[in-house]
Amino acid sequence: MDLEKHPQKPVAPAEPHAGIRASDADRDRIADILREALALGRLDAEEHSERIDAVYRAKTMGELEPLVRDLPATSTTARPAAAHTYGPDDETGPAESMVAIFSSSTRKGRWRVGRRTNAFALFGSIEIDLTEAIFAQRTTVINATAIFGSIEVRVPENISLRGGGTGVFGNFEVSTLEGTDSEAPVVVVNGYSVFGSIEAKPKRGKFIADLNRRLRKHLGH
């Protein structure tokens, strides 16, 4: 082949950080940009919902960045973290576990929610009620697995609720919410059910109010 007549096209270099694993803070930053685009009418509700779902499925920065590439550069500035609202955001802390095997397990009332909770129900039931909980970090992830069992998650009406999962001869349902307060907690429910049920939705009439005051009181500040 005559290389002078048929020069090879240069290969665009890959973005150096495209393969870096995305953190929860990275996902929240992209979600904030998408929320702003929805509010300004740059995205419609269906586009916003599709992109938000993709945000919380993304594993790397290379999967996240295309979701906001067509939005104005002015929207890509990260919002300052609300350090006064939440406690230290420890990504390395151990996950909490809830297990129900031929039994039931319930967590409700006033309690401090961890960053990550793993819930497993086998011929049993689990109830996670976050309506009176203290959120010590902005993003809380619940990984739910139900096999011939059920897992029920209830949240206040004024937070953001997201997630994704699969039901095999079973049910997986997350009633997504987008909190009007940009600093409201975000709960992400991921799950897998086999001949079981996983359900996450807001509890009518339950709201989180005065986030700063409640957290300071709980922490003794």
Side-chain angles (χ1 to χ4, degrees), residues 112-132:
R112 187 175 181 179
V113 183
R115 160 178 284 276
R116 202 170 295 271
T117 297
N118 297 324
F120 176 77
L122 174 64
F123 289 99
S125 65
I126 292 176
E127 178 186 0
I128 303 175
D129 188 336
L130 302 174
T131 56
E132 297 182 19

Side-chain angles (χ1 to χ4, degrees), residues 54-179:
V55 165
Y56 287 95
R57 289 196 305 267
K59 301 297 185 184
T60 67
M61 295 300 296
E63 294 173 287
L64 279 178
E65 291 175 351
L67 299 173
V68 294
R69 189 169 290 159
D70 60 344
L71 299 176
T74 53
S75 296
T76 60
T77 302
R79 298 183 182 181
H84 62 284
T85 301
Y86 303 102
D89 203 358
D90 183 8
E91 296 189 14
T92 62
E96 297 183 8
S97 295
M98 295 183 68
V99 178
I101 301 177
F102 290 97
S103 63
S104 63
S105 179
T106 302
R107 192 73 187 269
K108 61 182 179 180
R110 184 64 60 87
W111 56 293
R112 187 175 181 179
V113 183
R115 160 178 284 276
R116 202 170 295 271
T117 297
N118 297 324
F120 176 77
L122 174 64
F123 289 99
S125 65
I126 292 176
E127 178 186 0
I128 303 175
D129 188 336
L130 302 174
T131 56
E132 297 182 19
I134 298 294
F135 292 86
Q137 63 284 316
R138 180 156 187 237
T139 301
T140 297
V141 178
I142 298 174
N143 297 313
T145 303
I147 302 175
F148 290 97
S150 66
I151 297 175
E152 200 173 87
V153 181
R154 294 292 178 264
V155 303
E157 287 192 73
N158 58 337
I159 72 166
S160 293
L161 175 62
R162 304 166 188 159
T166 303
V168 179
F169 296 105
N171 177 59
F172 179 91
E173 181 180 356
V174 174
S175 299
T176 56
L177 289 172
E178 284 298 321

Side-chain angles (χ1 to χ4, degrees), residues 6 27 43 67 70 76 93 95 104 116 144 184 197-198 210 218-220:
H6 302 279
R27 296 184 186 91
L43 296 176
L67 299 173
D70 60 344
T76 60
S104 63
R116 202 170 295 271
S197 173
I198 297 172
D210 301 326
H218 182 75
L219 297 178

Side-chain angles (χ1 to χ4, degrees), residues 189-209:
V189 179
N190 300 315
Y192 183 76
S193 68
V194 180
F195 290 100
S197 173
I198 297 172
E199 183 181 78
K201 64 182 182 180
K203 193 169 185 178
R204 294 289 184 182
K206 292 292 186 177
F207 299 91
I208 289 183

